[in-house]
Amino acid sequence: MSKVTVDGSTCVGCGLCEELCPEVFKVNSEGVAEVKASECSQHDLADIAGQCPVDAIKVE
């Protein structure tokens, strides 16, 4: 199982991660992405992390 984290101080709340995988990511009411689950059966989380425009998502 992967460990997925979002650096809230780096996140700009663009919503791309939530759009790509709403099973794992959600942009909260403060405009910062948060992790809802640590795995996804449909998406490559490392690929989604690589698409984050500010590199706020880490997958270990």
Side-chain angles (χ1 to χ4, degrees):
M1 181 183 306
S2 300
K3 179 177 180 182
V4 183
T5 58
V6 175
D7 182 346
S9 65
T10 303
C11 178
V12 295
C14 73
L16 180 62
C17 57
E18 182 179 28
E19 182 180 321
L20 294 172
C21 188
E23 183 177 321
V24 173
F25 301 100
K26 175 182 179 9
V27 176
N28 65 26
S29 61
E30 293 155 7
V32 176
E34 54 188 39
V35 178
K36 300 187 326 184
S38 58
E39 60 184 40
C40 178
S41 59
Q42 300 174 1
H43 302 98
D44 179 351
L45 296 179
D47 181 54
I48 292 171
Q51 293 185 54
C52 177
V54 293
D55 295 322
I57 302 170
K58 304 295 179 218
V59 179
E60 298 173 3

